[in-house]
Amino acid sequence: MPAFRAIDPAGLPKHFEAPAAEGRWDAEWERLGVHAYDPSRSRDETFVVDTPPPTVSGSLHVGHIFSYTHTDVIVRYQRMRGRNIFYPMGWDDNGLPTERRVQNFFHVRCDPRLPYEPGLLLEPATPARLKELPRIVSRPNFIELCQRVTGEDEEAFKTLWRRLGLSVDWRQEYATIDVRSRRLAQLSFHDLFRKGHVYSLEAPTMWDVDFQTAVAQAEVEDRPVRGAFHQVAFDVEGTSERFLIATTRPELLPACVGVTAHPDDTRYQHLFGRHALTPLFRVPVPIFPSELADPTKGTGILMVCTFGDATDVIWWREKRLALRQVLGRNGRFVPVPFGSPGWESADPAAASRAYEPLRGKTVSGGREAVVAALREAGALEGEPKPIEHAVRFYEKGDRPLEYISTRQWFVRLLDKKDALLARGEEIAWHPDFMRLRYRNWTENLQVDWCISRQRYFGVPFPVWYPLDAQGAPDHEHPIVAAPEAMPVDPMTDTPPGYEPAQRDRPGGFSGEPDIFDTWFTSSLTPQISSAWLLDLDRHRRLFPADIRPQSHEIIRTWAFYTIAKAHLHEDTIPWQHVVISGWILDPDRKKMSKSRGNVVTPMHLLDEYAADGVRYWSAGARLGTDTVFDEKVMKVGKRLVTKLFNAGKFVLAQSGDAHGIDAELDRAFVARLATLVATVTAAHEEFDFARALMETESFFWHDFTDTFLELVKVRARDGEPAARGSAVGALRLGLSVLLRLFAPVLPYITEEIWAWAFAEETGCPSIHRAPWPGARDFAAIPAPAAEGSFEVAVACLAAINRSKSEAGVSVGRGVRRLGIAAHPATLERLRPVLADVAAAARVEAYDLEPAATLADGVVEVRTPEFVAAMEA
RNA sequence: GGGCGGUUAGCUCAGCGGGAGAGCAUCGGCCUUACAAGCCGAGGGCCACUGGUUCGAUCCCAGUACCGCCCACCA
């Protein structure tokens, strides 16, 4: 008869020393390779995570802990199911935040036209050496500096992630600006170009006048802005008639190229086909009908300018109106030649005089000047009427977007809406309603994806343009770099067939100075991990991925573009599941964000509540649900850890012979345990880790420690060998199963307890590679003889406890004799477990009192005689 | 304006056709050889509102209100 090896509780620490254990296990997991991806195993055994690369230049806050814990809980569950886990970590160092950070750190700016200087920053980078850096550096040098700065940021994240216990395979790291990412982004462009999915076009594009770059629809947001309706009088050419248009942008009057009203609007029908003369500038512009004009807005008739808004762009395109671009890329009025072709005026001299004060002014300055001039000319009807209206802004910008005609690169998506919608339906969204966000966005897509940015830090377009004899670029025949040469920087590298000396010379070539939209690279995270086009075998084993964890506000960007890329490149979906974490709200229910200044940094929380305690808080929130930041929940988590520690110590300190689990109460307990396992497993299969945790916790606390453990305690210590062995066996099985159910959420405490006995016993050195509990754990244990014998035992113990509580005596107080009243059927079920109940409650003698009036399952206690306090 | 989610005990949330629940907080009791970082108990709710379906509605349907989010709204 094998015996249970009992541990000596005296040899264990008094308390769970979390920080020390966290460091120890982190190192041990590394040593054992617990988190290592095994490239030799097949795809269907593998679970692939498309981890969100955090923006390294951003601040660390509890929101990070929250969503990354969700992913880790899912991953740890899958690992215990035997899956080969691919769980990488990327660092997003592309984009404006890093650009600004590098500028500020090194006090340098980037000029892509400068030649690369190898070894510009010599190590170590002492302050003196930093001072010697040139103020302006080439793009390759700027990228090197970026990698230096972000390296430190990455370390901070990595330290936090490791402490938190993220089971990332740290051999699978990448950065969005590293060589492989740059190469893949350019390969992606090459593939799209080859397939005809990208094109460049000179057209009005949404433009941020401060960042001086084009932006995509996905980066645009509407903000309410105070403005005013100005009623401006226009003359009708060849008549003495006047009409009033209403505009919020009077400064664009010199850019007016037409006037329109609704075709059914009787007030203006007679004007269609005629020309209007703009005030001040006396420019003749056509008056035409349009369904897009709203008769109820303003005066019902409005001026079309190049460009006041998106509708102006539509009219300009459809009616083939003139292009009179008065705003430059910096948002200021540029000089314009009234009287020359395209700038016709009935009075060019007056027009030029009227325009002169605008030159060099900003939009708001120009507005004041035009309004003043209109007022003086008697063309302003009444006073401007203040209104609040929505205006488009670049999400990072401070001034409204302008539509400015520039040459940009686009990915053709509008004609693929249906296919992209179908892709969205192929993917499982968690929670499911999040798919509507995707659907909604895709259906409402207005323009193709503008992927070029007029910034200098990022992944460059791998493109040059041939120059003709006059030195003008031929945009229709771009030279795209060869895949094997990538990554290239066209501003420093030379295209095939040309000499460096031919750069920017007639008959030579010119590099494309633009960089990709950061999402152009970020939308490849699954392919960056899988080394698409670089390692075909690896790619096949890792793509498409299983899960994409992310937050809901970037469904229209990150999720959408990633789906689009996978569709365009390989005609597939990028992952099977999207799991969406909610936001962390501060106590005022506002989203926690750096800009709001309500951010809670995470490190001290780990110190105070231990990684497991903080993870407990995170894992309690269901996917898609916003959660109020609440330290009290972490406190509860910490208490759970302590309870596990103590329960584990107690259970493993019990000794006995392993006779097999055959006592009725133990069998009934095991049956309940098996039900729990089924429930928790089903919850995890639906990514409902919150429910899994709740069920496990409630069972552990109530069924295990408060009842079962109390009920069998005496038998486990003093019982006959067989009865004792059954009790100890059931306790150990319960502990082993519960530890494994808790392991995804509480990796440290469960590993610690596992190591005391189960590691050796099972041959699984880490609980995180131990098999998930299941039928195998319960196969040898017979089903209970009676349904519900566990429940009646609990009810009976509770009834006795209640009588003690009412009498104000300790639960430990002995009972000389009492009556146990219950329905006869209940008493029948109680009989085989009564000895355990009596022992636990310290009842010396009892009388069973059948009571048919009581409901089945109810147990009442009659006339308890407590042992006197003295005797106790 | 369109779409989505929410509204359940003081707080944070589960439940989703027949019993209104958990944790925290509150109150009372208890040192009981795993754990006082604990244990045993108790109180507390027209399940937002109005209709409908049903033998029966917190749960299903319709509508209203409020909170939040996503999108649209530049004359």
Side-chain angles (χ1 to χ4, degrees):
Chain A
M1 188 63 58
F4 292 116
R5 274 255 303 281
I7 58 166
D8 175 12
L12 292 174
K14 190 96 179 81
H15 304 290
F16 179 52
E17 305 287 352
E22 286 160 10
R24 198 169 65 241
W25 286 118
D26 178 58
E28 187 64 4
W29 291 333
E30 181 90 46
R31 193 183 67 80
L32 293 170
V34 172
H35 307 150
Y37 163 66
D38 179 355
S40 70
R41 287 176 67 187
S42 70
R43 176 64 185 90
D44 60 328
E45 294 178 299
T46 305
F47 186 81
V48 181
V49 183
D50 181 17
T51 317
T55 306
V56 290
S57 305
S59 66
L60 273 168
H61 60 85
V62 286
H64 286 109
I65 283 199
F66 183 70
S67 54
Y68 281 84
T69 298
H70 291 172
T71 306
D72 190 59
V73 171
I74 293 168
V75 162
R76 285 183 183 274
Y77 165 73
Q78 293 290 343
R79 188 180 287 113
M80 292 175 75
R81 293 305 304 255
R83 309 288 287 280
N84 176 32
I85 303 294
F86 181 80
Y87 186 12
M89 185 59 66
W91 309 108
D92 188 9
D93 38 18
N94 248 319
L96 285 166
T98 305
E99 184 174 311
R100 287 207 192 111
R101 188 150 151 61
V102 173
Q103 283 177 349
N104 294 337
F105 190 88
F106 293 109
H107 305 289
V108 298
R109 303 203 155 261
C110 170
D111 184 341
R113 291 166 303 186
L114 290 177
Y116 174 58
E117 281 185 50
L120 188 71
L121 177 66
L122 295 169
E123 300 293 339
T126 59
R129 275 180 158 147
L130 289 181
K131 270 198 185 122
E132 284 164 22
L133 275 176
R135 294 283 72 93
I136 301 178
V137 301
S138 73
R139 180 153 56 200
N141 284 124
F142 196 89
I143 289 175
E144 284 176 356
L145 296 178
C146 151
Q147 281 163 334
R148 207 200 123 74
V149 170
T150 55
E152 293 172 12
D153 297 331
E154 288 162 18
E155 281 310 310
F157 267 92
K158 200 167 168 175
T159 304
L160 179 71
W161 287 167
R162 295 192 81 119
R163 177 81 187 279
L164 184 61
L166 295 190
S167 58
V168 163
D169 182 352
W170 289 104
R171 299 170 309 173
Q172 312 292 344
E173 265 187 88
Y174 67 87
T176 55
I177 197 65
D178 69 20
V179 174
R180 176 166 48 142
S181 297
R182 296 205 308 273
R183 189 163 178 204
L184 279 166
Q186 293 190 344
L187 286 169
S188 164
F189 177 86
H190 179 267
D191 187 58
L192 297 178
F193 182 82
R194 195 173 55 82
K195 292 172 174 164
H197 296 317
V198 291
Y199 62 95
S200 79
L201 184 70
E202 171 124 14
T205 327
M206 286 183 280
W207 183 272
D208 185 281
V209 296
D210 290 313
F211 289 101
Q212 296 196 37
T213 180
V215 301
Q217 189 185 344
E219 298 161 288
V220 172
E221 65 185 27
D222 291 348
R223 293 181 204 160
V225 164
R226 276 202 303 276
F229 263 128
H230 301 71
Q231 298 207 346
V232 179
F234 277 51
D235 292 324
V236 179
E237 197 180 37
T239 75
S240 58
E241 197 179 343
R242 304 179 87 192
F243 60 87
L244 292 174
I245 60 105
T247 182
T248 55
R249 301 205 60 183
E251 71 278 10
L252 290 179
L253 190 59
C256 180
V257 293
V259 167
T260 187
H262 195 273
D264 299 337
D265 195 331
T266 51
R267 292 170 295 178
Y268 306 111
Q269 276 173 337
H270 65 286
L271 299 174
F272 297 145
R274 307 189 75 99
H275 280 73
L277 278 178
T278 62
L280 305 181
F281 304 97
R282 312 305 291 163
V283 174
V285 297
I287 307 172
F288 59 90
S290 168
E291 301 275 354
L292 296 176
D294 182 349
T296 66
K297 273 196 181 174
T299 56
I301 189 162
L302 66 133
M303 66 170 180
V304 178
C305 307
T306 51
F307 296 93
D309 62 24
T311 340
D312 280 350
V313 177
I314 296 171
W315 281 315
W316 173 77
R317 199 168 279 149
E318 286 182 354
K319 303 292 174 185
R320 302 180 168 280
L321 302 171
L323 177 64
R324 296 191 188 111
Q325 188 88 55
V326 295
L327 288 176
R329 295 182 172 211
N330 58 1
R332 289 174 184 273
F333 284 85
V334 296
V336 297
F338 279 106
S340 62
W343 294 90
E344 292 79 7
S345 165
D347 188 346
S352 298
R353 270 199 311 279
Y355 192 82
E356 189 52 34
L358 297 181
R359 282 180 54 176
K361 281 203 164 71
T362 62
V363 166
S364 59
R367 184 172 302 171
E368 281 174 30
V370 168
V371 169
L374 284 170
R375 187 174 279 132
E376 193 174 327
L380 185 71
E381 183 74 17
E383 279 306 299
K385 198 172 85 204
I387 54 157
E388 190 171 84
H389 60 160
V391 177
R392 285 186 161 173
F393 282 77
Y394 174 40
E395 59 190 0
K396 296 188 173 77
D398 297 322
R399 286 197 280 172
L401 289 170
E402 297 295 339
Y403 282 83
I404 291 185
S405 192
T406 50
R407 176 165 291 278
Q408 305 292 344
W409 283 93
F410 296 87
V411 177
R412 227 181 284 281
L413 294 181
L414 282 183
D415 60 352
K416 300 181 186 71
K417 273 190 189 184
D418 290 345
L420 292 173
L421 284 166
R423 290 294 178 210
E425 297 307 312
E426 281 180 59
I427 294 164
W429 299 75
H430 307 273
D432 186 67
F433 67 80
M434 288 296 179
R435 77 168 64 247
L436 295 172
R437 301 270 180 104
Y438 174 82
R439 200 185 291 163
N440 198 264
W441 174 256
T442 309
E443 280 169 352
N444 291 313
L445 207 59
Q446 300 298 317
V447 287
D448 281 337
W449 178 14
C450 177
I451 53 167
S452 46
R453 295 291 181 275
Q454 288 66 49
R455 303 299 303 174
Y456 41 79
F457 172 66
V459 181
F461 275 72
V463 166
W464 300 267
Y465 304 101
L467 300 179
D468 66 15
Q470 279 71 51
D474 179 2
H475 289 111
E476 299 309 310
H477 300 93
I479 306 161
V480 177
E484 52 278 10
M486 290 173 177
V488 301
D489 186 334
M491 301 305 282
T492 52
D493 295 321
T494 306
Y498 289 88
E499 294 300 320
Q502 289 177 278
R503 182 179 293 276
D504 298 327
R505 306 296 285 266
F509 70 94
S510 198
E512 166 64 70
D514 290 356
I515 57 163
F516 292 134
D517 174 10
T518 59
W519 294 114
F520 191 82
T521 308
S522 303
S523 55
L524 292 168
T525 50
Q527 292 95 330
I528 292 170
S529 287
S530 70
W532 172 60
L533 297 178
L534 306 177
D535 182 342
L536 214 60
D537 181 58
R538 179 180 162 100
H539 181 62
R540 268 201 287 267
R541 288 168 187 275
L542 296 174
F543 187 88
D546 287 276
I547 60 164
R548 152 63 71 88
Q550 65 163 80
S551 56
H552 49 75
E553 81 277 15
I554 52 174
I555 287 175
R556 66 172 178 171
T557 48
W558 198 32
F560 174 76
Y561 290 139
T562 309
I563 292 169
K565 280 282 187 82
H567 173 71
L568 296 176
H569 287 312
E570 296 184 84
D571 197 20
T572 181
I573 50 173
W575 0 257
Q576 310 295 333
H577 302 271
V578 179
V579 295
I580 308 270
S581 294
W583 285 343
I584 298 308
L585 309 176
D586 69 12
D588 297 330
R589 303 218 161 242
K590 293 276 180 285
K591 187 194 173 190
M592 228 176 240
S593 69
K594 197 180 176 184
S595 54
R596 287 183 206 275
N598 58 357
V599 170
V600 176
T601 56
M603 250 331 172
H604 73 282
L605 297 170
L606 294 171
D607 291 336
E608 184 153 5
Y609 303 107
D612 284 343
V614 175
R615 291 173 62 105
Y616 170 88
W617 163 73
S618 304
R622 283 141 63 238
L623 287 173
T625 306
D626 294 345
T627 297
V628 178
F629 174 73
D630 188 358
E631 288 193 40
K632 281 187 303 197
V633 179
M634 300 184 191
K635 213 165 157 180
V636 174
K638 190 181 177 182
R639 285 210 323 234
L640 172 62
V641 168
T642 303
K643 188 79 174 175
L644 270 164
F645 183 83
N646 287 314
K649 203 151 67 166
F650 174 78
V651 168
L652 293 174
Q654 307 306 309
S655 58
D657 293 334
H659 279 278
I661 297 169
D662 52 8
E664 174 64 11
L665 184 72
D666 305 343
R667 286 153 59 179
F669 166 75
V670 169
R672 284 178 69 85
L673 187 63
T675 305
L676 171 75
V677 168
T679 306
V680 170
T681 305
H684 272 297
E685 286 298 318
E686 291 167 17
F687 300 98
D688 193 353
F689 42 76
R691 167 126 195 272
L693 171 59
M694 199 194 75
E695 296 282 350
T696 308
E697 181 189 15
S698 142
F699 186 99
F700 167 71
W701 214 285
H702 182 255
D703 293 66
F704 191 61
T705 65
D706 287 352
T707 54
F708 182 66
L709 197 146
E710 293 299 332
L711 283 168
V712 298
K713 199 179 238 188
V714 175
R715 174 155 54 90
R717 193 184 57 216
D718 307 327
E720 293 301 313
R724 184 176 173 188
S726 176
V728 176
L731 283 171
R732 290 176 79 113
L733 177 63
L735 179 66
S736 158
V737 166
L738 287 165
L739 285 178
R740 282 177 281 157
L741 295 182
F742 274 127
V745 176
L746 311 173
Y748 290 111
I749 184 65
T750 51
E751 185 75 300
E752 183 86 9
I753 299 171
W754 186 260
W756 293 342
F758 296 126
E760 197 184 321
E761 208 170 283
T762 59
C764 298
S766 169
I767 192 173
H768 301 295
R769 286 268 186 161
W772 186 252
R776 193 178 351 157
D777 291 284
F778 312 116
I781 296 127
E787 279 286 314
S789 47
F790 186 84
E791 289 76 0
V792 261
V794 171
C796 188
L797 180 64
I800 299 169
N801 281 341
R802 199 173 305 119
S803 73
K804 289 178 180 174
S805 189
E806 279 163 7
V809 304
S810 151
V811 177
R813 183 76 67 90
V815 184
R816 192 137 287 153
R817 174 172 284 277
L818 52 61
I820 297 170
H823 190 275
T826 307
L827 287 180
E828 205 48 49
R829 275 178 286 146
L830 191 54
R831 221 177 290 275
V833 295
L834 204 45
D836 282 332
V837 176
R842 298 173 198 206
V843 173
E844 293 168 15
Y846 49 81
D847 304 303
L848 295 182
E849 301 174 8
T853 51
L854 287 174
D856 193 9
V858 173
V859 178
E860 282 185 4
V861 163
R862 307 270 162 88
T863 61
E865 298 165 27
F866 298 108
V867 172
M870 293 304 204
E871 299 174 62

